[in-house]
Amino acid sequence: MKVLALSGSLSGSKTYTVIKEAAALLSEFDSVEVEALNLADLKVEFCDGRDPLTYEGDTDLIIRKIVEADAFVIGTPIYRGSLTGALKNVFDLIPNDALRGKVIGFVATGGTYHHYLAIEHQLNPLASYFRAHIVPGGVYAHNDHFQNGQLTDADIKRRLKELTHSLVSLASALDGERAEVRQPEITRR
Ligand SMILES: Cc1cc2nc3c(=O)[nH]c(=O)nc-3n(C[C@H](O)[C@H](O)[C@H](O)COP(=O)(O)O)c2cc1C
């Protein structure tokens, strides 16, 4: 199964650090082909409502990677109590059925503990819109959980491991169902 681990931060490094750690945990599974992507490394256009097939460059690349993946770990820094605009733009760009029947585990990083429920009320509804399956136990990492740019908190690391293991279990269990879901046109180009 193809898993895309995506960080939605354009500025800092914490979210991508967590995403890379999740990707490393996923790479331990023989059944998983994982790729970690950092939105900060891409030049993604704003969604202007056109057919997703007509974007070019990095915008086309990110749409394609998402369409081709079976499961995702998606991470965002919390901005104003929600996901970043850059990540929301990616959700706006992809075809309506790009995530249908697929599996998503969410992670978020934030500077305050007040926003840990943003995964529940900002990210999970997006997955529901796309009719994706949400892995229970999204991981929220606070600034205190990092030292010298590394994720060091043992409990957060344990939760991340649990999230990635649950992701693989759920995506494997849904394998047959996913094959029956119509894939967007873009995969047949
Ligand atoms: C524009 C902006 C808005 C932010 N809003 C919040 C917020 O509402 N709640 C919060 O907990 N942290 C907020 N933060 C802090 C970031 O979420 C936090 O530093 C995060 O770990 C940064 O992740 P990164 O290093 O991957 O960019 C904000 C940071 C910025 C730059």
Side-chain angles (χ1 to χ4, degrees), residues 2-188:
K2 282 189 180 178
V3 183
L4 182 64
L6 177 66
S7 167
S9 174
L10 296 189
S11 50
S13 60
K14 289 193 202 77
T15 310
Y16 193 45
T17 296
V18 181
I19 284 297
K20 281 188 291 183
E21 182 133 348
L25 289 163
L26 287 162
S27 70
E28 290 171 11
F29 291 87
D30 291 338
S31 59
V32 170
E33 187 188 315
V34 62
E35 181 176 9
L37 260 187
N38 189 3
L39 273 192
D41 295 333
L42 304 177
K43 288 231 172 305
V44 179
E45 285 177 68
F46 274 120
C47 173
D48 57 15
R50 82 178 88 140
D51 181 345
L53 285 170
T54 61
Y55 289 95
E56 294 179 351
D58 285 349
T59 313
D60 176 58
L61 180 132
I62 187 74
I63 294 171
R64 200 167 286 278
K65 296 259 182 210
I66 290 174
V67 166
E68 288 170 3
D70 303 298
F72 306 85
V73 178
I74 299 181
T76 183
I78 300 299
Y79 277 13
R80 314 302 188 218
S82 188
L83 68 165
T84 60
L87 182 59
K88 176 59 166 58
N89 182 49
V90 170
F91 281 109
D92 293 342
L93 282 165
I94 57 178
N96 265 331
D97 46 4
L99 302 176
R100 189 168 172 174
K102 299 181 178 182
V103 176
I104 306 178
F106 285 116
V107 302
T109 67
T112 157
Y113 285 103
H114 295 302
H115 288 143
Y116 76 97
L117 283 175
I119 292 179
E120 301 294 329
H121 58 71
Q122 302 288 318
L123 295 167
N124 288 358
L126 274 169
S128 300
Y129 169 84
F130 284 101
R131 298 172 76 173
H133 300 278
I134 300 161
V135 183
V139 176
Y140 185 85
H142 182 270
N143 289 349
D144 292 348
H145 299 139
F146 297 83
Q147 272 171 7
N148 302 321
Q150 294 304 309
L151 181 66
T152 48
D153 186 85
D155 192 44
I156 297 295
K157 287 165 94 72
R158 180 191 59 75
R159 288 190 214 175
L160 196 60
K161 188 169 184 175
E162 210 172 295
L163 184 80
T164 54
H165 283 230
S166 299
L167 181 105
V168 175
S169 300
L170 186 56
S172 304
L174 292 167
D175 215 13
E177 184 185 306
R178 219 169 34 250
E180 285 173 21
V181 173
R182 188 179 66 81
Q183 287 302 298
E185 192 65 25
I186 197 165
T187 57
R188 295 198 288 270

